[in-house]
Amino acid sequence: MTTATVTRPAEEQAAQQVRAARSRRWRAGGRRELVGLFFLLPAILVFGLFAWWPIVRGLIISFQRTDLMGTSTWVGLDNFQALFADPLLGTAVQNTLLFVGLGVLIGFPAPLILASVLSTVRRLGGVYRFLVYLPVVIPPVVSVLLWKWFYDPGAGLFNELLGTVGLGPYPWLESPDTAMLSLVLESTWAGMGGTVLIYLAAMVGIPQELYEAAEIDGANLWQRIWHVMLPQLRTVIALLLLWQLINTVQVFTEPYVFTGGGPQNATTTVLLLIFRYGFQQGNYGQAAALAFLLALALALLSAVYLRATRSWSTS
């Protein structure tokens, strides 16, 4: 009898033991997944009912003519054709992109700069943080009405202050040239507090040794911010930028309460146009069609953005 003949049964027995152990692990893993799925099922059902079903329902309505009360009629792509034939759609898209651009230009760096300044404050830091966050707890409509008084062309706060140095008065909300910028300034003020606190929390996690090493190497304040702080915050910055893009694309309260879309449709945004279709004209199919296209655009934007910035969180 050769040595190979003697060792073959032992090898087969070892292989069977490995397969048996692998099968036991697979069954145990499957049971754990089933138990996990059982506990997740209520949350999945609630999420599907309140998050996914409205999207599916909106997609269905976009192919129907309906008043949401009686019988609906399938109209194919008629709602989409009517939507693209509306000359106001292009204006709304341009205005929304302008709001997004100004929001990113003004509203995105402002919280980061303010958080950088607050992180260096050693006395009364809690008071300053409270004051920065205070606008967030004010209801959005109240904030807009407050700023509407600030922008008043007659006795508004801004024109009164500018009048003391011989400037103005300016028609902040009445001019198509300044109306959108006025909306962005209020929106930045109202939503900046939460973002500042997120940046401050992220800055606490940066090791002080990095700042001290940069200081020993002769780095000034700007160089410490650029070479130490910003690289450490890049993941937070990437997520907050995406958050800012999605929020600004869906702007509604400011143009609705401030200007109603005027003057001369200079502040009519996509979401305001959806509101007009659905709740002023009763054209729910066209409103659902535009809402579906907006959701599709945001999904594509998020996918492209996350892929483009994937290296920020892995490097």
Side-chain angles (χ1 to χ4, degrees):
M1 183 177 296
T2 63
T3 305
T5 305
V6 173
T7 56
R8 187 172 301 154
E11 293 176 350
E12 291 177 353
Q13 187 177 3
Q16 288 176 354
Q17 291 175 348
V18 169
R19 285 196 294 271
R22 189 176 300 165
S23 177
R24 285 195 297 273
R25 285 198 299 271
W26 185 84
R27 286 197 296 271
R31 282 196 295 271
R32 283 197 297 271
E33 289 181 0
L34 285 176
V35 171
L37 185 61
F38 175 77
F39 283 105
L40 279 176
L41 192 58
I44 293 173
L45 290 176
V46 171
F47 184 79
L49 180 62
F50 292 101
W52 286 102
W53 172 242
I55 297 175
V56 175
R57 179 64 178 149
L59 178 60
I60 294 172
I61 293 176
S62 67
F63 295 100
Q64 293 178 334
R65 181 175 295 112
T66 178
D67 59 1
L68 301 181
M69 301 295 289
T71 305
S72 302
T73 305
W74 292 96
V75 294
L77 297 175
D78 287 0
N79 289 324
F80 291 91
Q81 291 174 350
L83 182 64
F84 287 115
D86 187 353
L88 201 55
L89 176 63
T91 303
V93 172
Q94 288 179 6
N95 291 337
T96 303
L97 292 177
L98 177 61
F99 188 90
V100 172
L102 290 175
V104 171
L105 190 65
I106 300 172
F108 183 70
L112 182 58
I113 295 171
L114 191 54
S116 302
V117 173
L118 287 178
S119 66
T120 62
V121 174
R122 294 294 176 263
R123 296 184 61 187
L124 300 177
V127 175
Y128 294 128
R129 292 183 181 90
F130 169 76
L131 293 175
V132 168
Y133 191 74
L134 185 60
V136 179
V137 302
I138 299 176
V141 175
V142 176
S143 298
V144 171
L145 293 177
L146 178 65
W147 277 67
K148 205 168 184 177
W149 171 68
F150 290 168
Y151 287 137
D152 189 278
L157 176 64
F158 292 153
N159 280 331
E160 289 286 340
L161 293 175
L162 292 173
T164 59
V165 293
L167 298 176
Y170 296 103
W172 297 96
L173 298 174
E174 288 72 21
S175 170
D177 297 328
T178 57
M180 188 62 82
L181 176 63
S182 304
L183 268 59
V184 171
L185 292 177
E186 186 279 337
S187 177
T188 300
W189 172 83
M192 188 168 54
T195 311
V196 170
L197 293 188
I198 293 174
Y199 278 130
L200 284 172
M203 288 174 185
V204 171
I206 300 176
Q208 285 298 316
E209 294 81 5
L210 297 178
Y211 289 112
E212 293 169 0
E215 199 168 352
I216 291 173
D217 291 339
N220 55 32
L221 177 61
W222 169 247
Q223 289 171 329
R224 292 198 296 274
I225 292 175
W226 184 257
H227 294 290
V228 177
M229 188 184 75
L230 291 182
Q232 294 293 320
L233 295 178
R234 59 176 177 263
T235 302
V236 177
I237 292 174
L239 290 176
L240 289 180
L241 180 55
L242 178 61
W243 186 23
Q244 170 109 5
L245 289 172
I246 292 175
N247 283 336
T248 51
V249 168
Q250 300 181 85
V251 60
F252 173 75
T253 303
E254 284 79 6
Y256 179 69
V257 181
F258 260 129
T259 60
Q264 302 171 22
N265 288 317
T267 57
T268 299
T269 60
V270 172
L271 222 60
L272 186 59
L273 192 58
I274 293 173
F275 175 81
R276 286 180 180 174
Y277 285 150
F279 297 100
Q280 292 182 349
Q281 302 173 12
N283 195 340
Y284 298 106
Q286 199 166 326
L290 183 53
F292 172 71
L293 292 179
L294 178 63
L296 186 63
L298 286 176
L300 290 174
L301 170 68
S302 302
V304 171
Y305 181 85
L306 290 175
R307 182 166 182 81
T309 59
R310 186 171 54 181
S311 61
W312 288 22
S313 58
T314 56
S315 62

